[in-house]
Amino acid sequence: MFTRIGMVLLMVLLSLGQALAAPATRMVTDMAGRQVRVPPEIRRVVTAGGTPAINAFIVVLGRADLIVNGLPQPMRGRWKLQQLFVPAANGPVVSGMGPSWTPDLEALRTLPHDLVLVDNEQTARMLERRGFTAFCLLWKGPDSVPATMRVLGELLNRRGQAAAYERYYQKNLERVRAEVGALPEAQRPRALFCRLEPLSLPMVSTARMLIERSGGRYAATGTLPVDHATITLETLLVWNPDVLFVWSPEDVKRAYSDQRFASLRAVKQRRVFAMPMGLHPWSNYTPEQAPGILWMTKMLYPDRFHQLSPLEETTSFYRQFGNKQLSSQQVNLILQGS
């Protein structure tokens, strides 16, 4: 009896020792280079800046259950898919709309959370001064999507899923390079991502990167800003892309019905496509860039990639990285930009 009691006491003491030795917090470096002290296991996060984009990363890491806040009210229409993947998508709103994403400090104080995720260092430091644990994510450069996956994988203890995503991303790039990487520049279709109303180039740096990684040539010339550029009709007609990617299905209809665009090569050849819209527009900073590159390559080279099925690739992506088996109808809506 004494021996059994002694063994029980020893096990209790060992367990207590392990609990006492376990760290109460850990330090993680955010993408602004700040050292942030966080709990060993994060159970609740608030996405208070770049909300739909950051939500998409967390979904792809398989931890949508961590998000405790909802999307800003005006975003709940076009960002419908987030309501399928993120249980809290219709929950409390904690910030204004982009690009400022001004945090609602009172809402943050009343919503239990372990960490606030934001999209710029200034907001992170402002929240830190007010007693919040804020972590900054920055999307700069052509490889910022895999980089963000690695940082969030470390933060949320999802390193394996982050690594799996990066392998998938690189595999898609290699698939494109193997087929069209050796094509001379002159044989590559000239493409543009454009918004027809108002006439502008959204997400210039991201759009250029996606088009080039998909084997195309970026049709716009001259010095352009990295984010958004307003253009004239005359400029668009001079650039005259072979393929035109547009913001929405409404822009596709506009391209084919508005006589101002009738002389465009892309319109004449019926090669105007709405950018897909999933957890986030695929033209933007989103982990959906990975299937987006395959989709765009298919639009640029339908004959070379005739065996590539965007429907199958997209279905597989959300099953593997979103834990959802979407129907063919749902995936087609995503691919149509709806």
Side-chain angles (χ1 to χ4, degrees):
M1 178 66 71
F2 176 79
T3 302
R4 183 175 297 176
I5 293 173
M7 288 294 294
V8 171
L9 286 173
L10 179 60
M11 292 175 64
V12 170
L13 289 171
L14 286 172
S15 298
L16 181 60
Q18 290 172 353
L20 291 173
T25 60
R26 58 191 171 103
M27 298 296 291
V28 184
T29 304
D30 73 6
M31 296 182 78
R34 298 166 55 251
Q35 292 288 303
V36 183
R37 191 178 296 278
V38 300
E41 183 180 356
I42 295 169
R43 293 185 173 88
R44 297 179 298 266
V45 299
V46 168
T47 55
T51 300
I54 295 176
N55 283 1
F57 281 96
I58 297 173
V59 167
V60 169
L61 284 170
R63 291 311 308 268
D65 58 298
L66 298 178
I67 302 167
V68 295
N69 61 287
L71 292 169
Q73 289 288 347
M75 305 189 83
R76 296 184 183 183
R78 192 165 189 232
W79 274 259
K80 293 184 185 73
L81 200 68
Q82 295 234 355
Q83 297 168 42
L84 175 63
F85 281 87
V86 182
N90 293 317
V93 178
V94 296
S95 70
M97 291 280 289
S100 62
W101 300 102
T102 304
D104 182 334
L105 298 181
E106 188 57 36
L108 286 175
R109 289 192 180 96
T110 57
L111 186 61
H113 62 273
D114 298 320
L115 185 68
V116 183
L117 295 170
V118 296
D119 64 348
N120 66 84
E121 184 178 3
Q122 182 180 2
T123 300
R125 293 196 179 280
M126 180 274 290
L127 290 171
E128 183 181 36
R129 290 194 298 270
R130 285 159 175 77
F132 296 97
T133 302
F135 192 91
C136 179
L137 300 170
L138 297 175
W139 30 93
K140 293 180 180 178
D143 295 313
S144 53
V145 166
T148 300
M149 290 295 289
R150 289 193 296 270
V151 170
L152 276 176
E154 179 72 24
L155 178 68
L156 303 179
N157 294 318
R158 297 290 290 174
R159 299 170 192 85
Q161 185 77 343
Y165 173 85
E166 188 160 7
R167 288 193 298 271
Y168 170 77
Y169 191 100
Q170 292 302 323
K171 179 182 176 182
N172 288 357
L173 291 178
E174 290 164 8
R175 186 173 178 181
V176 175
R177 282 194 294 264
E179 181 62 37
V180 299
L183 277 181
E185 192 76 4
Q187 294 181 24
R188 297 171 182 264
R190 297 169 59 256
L192 195 67
F193 175 49
C194 187
R195 197 165 188 163
L196 298 185
E197 187 61 44
L199 197 54
S200 59
L201 304 181
M203 306 296 294
V204 173
S205 59
T206 306
R208 183 194 296 269
M209 180 273 291
L210 286 172
I211 288 169
E212 291 176 350
R213 287 192 171 179
S214 301
R217 282 185 290 162
Y218 192 61
T221 58
T223 303
L224 296 168
V226 296
D227 290 326
H228 301 274
T230 300
I231 61 172
T232 64
L233 176 62
E234 290 72 20
T235 299
L236 178 61
L237 294 176
V238 168
W239 288 338
N240 197 19
D242 303 305
V243 182
L244 188 60
F245 299 108
V246 292
W247 177 251
S248 65
E250 290 72 28
D251 264 353
V252 175
K253 295 175 184 176
R254 191 174 284 114
Y256 290 134
S257 62
D258 191 325
Q259 287 303 305
R260 295 179 301 159
F261 308 119
S263 64
L264 286 174
R265 185 178 294 110
V267 172
K268 288 180 178 179
Q269 297 179 355
R270 308 296 290 185
R271 300 190 71 187
V272 181
F273 307 104
M275 203 56 102
M277 172 71 190
L279 293 162
H280 205 55
W282 288 14
S283 55
N284 291 35
Y285 175 76
T286 164
E288 290 152 311
Q289 275 184 16
I293 287 168
L294 290 183
W295 171 85
M296 185 173 280
T297 301
K298 173 79 171 186
M299 300 304 107
L300 293 173
Y301 299 98
D303 295 332
R304 284 178 174 268
F305 287 86
H306 64 277
Q307 292 184 326
L308 191 158
S309 167
L311 177 67
E312 292 177 6
E313 293 288 345
T314 304
T315 302
S316 174
F317 173 77
Y318 288 110
R319 183 173 60 243
Q320 181 178 357
F321 294 106
N323 298 322
K324 294 285 185 186
Q325 179 65 47
L326 299 181
S327 68
S328 296
Q329 182 182 15
Q330 287 171 317
V331 174
N332 278 322
L333 288 172
I334 290 170
L335 294 173
Q336 292 163 15
S338 299

